[in-house]
């Protein structure tokens, strides 16, 4: 598993840098970059404890409405306020967020080359005059923040597509790694809601496309093209993270049962098929497409067909990640106590 993850990391880094030195077909670049990002994020999410943030059914049902409110708010801000002013405020926000995300993404690779006490010994820094506020960090995290700060400064000053993509990939990997749907039922609710959300805001209003073009922040990946009229192809981070956390849940379901990653393979294949279908339709109609319109049915459909074929629908629907983690920790503690006896 670790070897596959390392290979995927190197492949993703190479693919991100490739357009600097050679011509890369943007359609192929979109597909490979998104799939490698999902793959890396999924394997990073496999940990002894579930991801820190778990979504409930209520959160999943509210998410499309909250997302719609935020999208409409941004549209109105760009409509009635100066575009440069809004983007300046957003750049400051994403500058800080980008340092945190990129540092967390690079930390596992950097920690291996640093002294152990740099990784373990925490430093607590309290805000002056507000002693109740404090930040806890390690020396390793400070070292990991250095390249994060460089890329954020580069993005803020130049808005270069490579800096944008580096920060965007960090956001995607961290989102897939840290967020948990908890169960496949919650995942189905979330994907169904965002399926409708994406179709409505892309096909029935100009809001989504307008915000995507006006929003000068790393919320989308940019892929250079040879067309001067359309210099970049774009893919929103939500089209990677949202299906990605569902695919990651399939991988952790396989791991929890101690079996080969069979359902992960079908969910990941569904994501790849959905993304390819999005690109094909987009080029056919020469118009922006809601990627989740194609990705959601493929991911859910491939996974559903696989579990129906195996006759394991009940096991899949009853899976609850928090309960599975609790039962596994109990088994570990029982094993330790039996050894002591």
């Amino acid at each position: 598993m670790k070897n596959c993850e390392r290979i995927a990391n190197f492949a993703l880094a190479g693919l991100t840098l490739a357009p600097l030195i050679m011509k890369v077909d943007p359609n192929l670049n979109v597909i490979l970059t998104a799939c490698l990002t999902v793959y890396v994020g999924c394997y990073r999410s496999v940990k002894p404890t579930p991801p820190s943030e778990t979504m409930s059914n209520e959160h999943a049902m509210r998410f499309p409405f909250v997302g719609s409110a935020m999208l409409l708010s941004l549209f109105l801000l760009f409509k009635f306020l100066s575009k440069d002013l809004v983007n300046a405020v957003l750049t400051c926000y994403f500058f800080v967020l980008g340092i945190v995300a990129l540092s967390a993404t690079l930390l596992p690779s950097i920690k291996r080359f640093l002294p152990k006490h740099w990784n373990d010994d925490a430093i607590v820094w309290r805000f002056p005059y507000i002693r109740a506020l404090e930040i806890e960090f390690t020396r390793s995290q400070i070292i990991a923040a250095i390249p994060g700060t460089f890329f954020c400064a580069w993005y803020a000053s130049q808005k270069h597509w490579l800096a944008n993509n580096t920060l965007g990939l960090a956001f995607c990997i961290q989102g897939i790694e840290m967020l948990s749907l908890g169960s496949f039922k919650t995942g189905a609710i979330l994907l169904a809601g965002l399926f409708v959300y994406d179709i409505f805001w892309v096909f029935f209003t100009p809001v989504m496309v307008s915000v995507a073009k006006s929003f000068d922040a790393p919320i989308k990946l940019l892929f250079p093209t040879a067309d001067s009229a359309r210099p970049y192809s774009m893919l929103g981070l939500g089209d990677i993270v949202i299906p990605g956390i569902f695919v990651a849940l399939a991988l952790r379901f396989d791991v929890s049962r101690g079996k080969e990653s069979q359902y992960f393979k079908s969910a990941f294949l569904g994501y790849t098929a959905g993304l390819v279908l999005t690109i094909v339709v987009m080029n056919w109609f020469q118009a922006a497409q809601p990627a989740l319109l194609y990705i959601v049915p493929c991911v859910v459909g491939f996974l559903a067909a696989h579990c129906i074929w195996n006759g394991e629908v009940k096991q899949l629907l009853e899976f609850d990640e928090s309960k599975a983690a609790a039962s596994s920790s109990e088994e570990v503690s029982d094993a330790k106590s039996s050894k002591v006896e």
Side-chain angles (χ1 to χ4, degrees), residues 129-286:
Y129 308 111
I130 313 176
R131 308 297 292 179
L133 292 177
E134 62 182 35
I135 299 176
E136 186 175 305
F137 53 88
T138 63
R139 292 179 179 86
S140 299
Q141 289 173 323
I142 296 175
I143 299 298
I146 294 173
T149 305
F150 165 75
F151 272 101
C152 287
W154 183 24
Y155 175 77
S157 61
Q158 302 293 326
K159 298 297 174 74
H160 194 276
W161 65 265
L162 179 58
N164 173 90
N165 286 5
T166 302
L167 297 177
L169 291 173
F171 290 141
C172 289
I173 291 170
Q174 285 302 298
I176 297 171
E177 179 182 355
M178 302 304 295
L179 295 175
S180 171
L181 292 168
S183 69
F184 288 99
K185 292 178 183 177
T186 304
I189 293 170
L190 178 67
L191 291 182
L194 291 176
F195 173 80
V196 176
Y197 160 92
D198 217 19
I199 294 172
F200 175 77
W201 288 111
V202 173
F203 281 154
F204 297 99
T205 75
V207 173
M208 180 79 81
V209 175
S210 176
V211 170
K213 291 180 178 178
S214 303
F215 203 128
D216 195 4
I219 61 161
K220 55 186 179 291
L221 299 183
L222 302 174
F223 303 92
T225 70
D227 186 358
S228 58
R230 191 173 64 99
Y232 298 104
S233 290
M234 295 186 297
L235 181 68
L237 302 192
D239 299 327
I240 299 175
V241 176
I242 299 301
I245 57 178
F246 188 85
V247 178
L249 182 65
L251 176 60
R252 295 195 298 275
F253 174 62
D254 290 331
V255 171
S256 71
R257 303 193 307 161
K259 294 187 176 182
E260 187 182 349
S261 53
Q262 51 179 354
Y263 289 120
F264 166 70
K265 289 177 181 176
S266 58
F268 184 75
L269 183 61
Y271 178 77
T272 305
L275 198 58
V276 170
L277 187 58
T278 304
I279 298 298
V280 170
V281 175
M282 183 184 69
N283 284 286
W284 181 271
F285 290 103
Q286 290 295 305

Side-chain angles (χ1 to χ4, degrees), residues 31-52:
I31 295 167
L32 292 179
T33 300
C35 290
L36 284 171
T37 304
V38 169
Y39 188 91
V40 171
C42 288
Y43 274 96
R44 285 179 62 122
S45 74
V46 178
K47 300 175 181 179
T49 56
S52 55

Side-chain angles (χ1 to χ4, degrees), residues 39-120:
Y39 188 91
V40 171
C42 288
Y43 274 96
R44 285 179 62 122
S45 74
V46 178
K47 300 175 181 179
T49 56
S52 55
E53 299 294 331
T54 303
M55 187 176 290
S56 65
N57 288 349
E58 292 74 19
H59 291 146
M61 285 186 279
R62 286 201 299 263
F63 196 90
F65 299 102
V66 174
S68 296
M70 292 180 64
L71 184 65
L72 191 57
S73 299
L74 284 170
F75 177 76
L76 294 175
L77 283 174
F78 283 118
K79 188 175 180 65
F80 295 109
L81 295 179
S82 166
K83 179 180 174 181
D84 292 336
L85 175 63
V86 175
N87 278 320
V89 173
L90 291 172
T91 297
C92 294
Y93 172 73
F94 279 97
F95 184 90
V96 177
L97 201 63
I99 294 174
V100 175
L102 194 53
S103 302
T105 303
L106 295 175
L107 187 60
S109 299
I110 292 175
K111 285 170 68 174
R112 292 180 294 162
F113 303 102
L114 297 175
K116 189 175 184 300
H117 68 276
W118 282 30
N119 302 326
D120 300 334

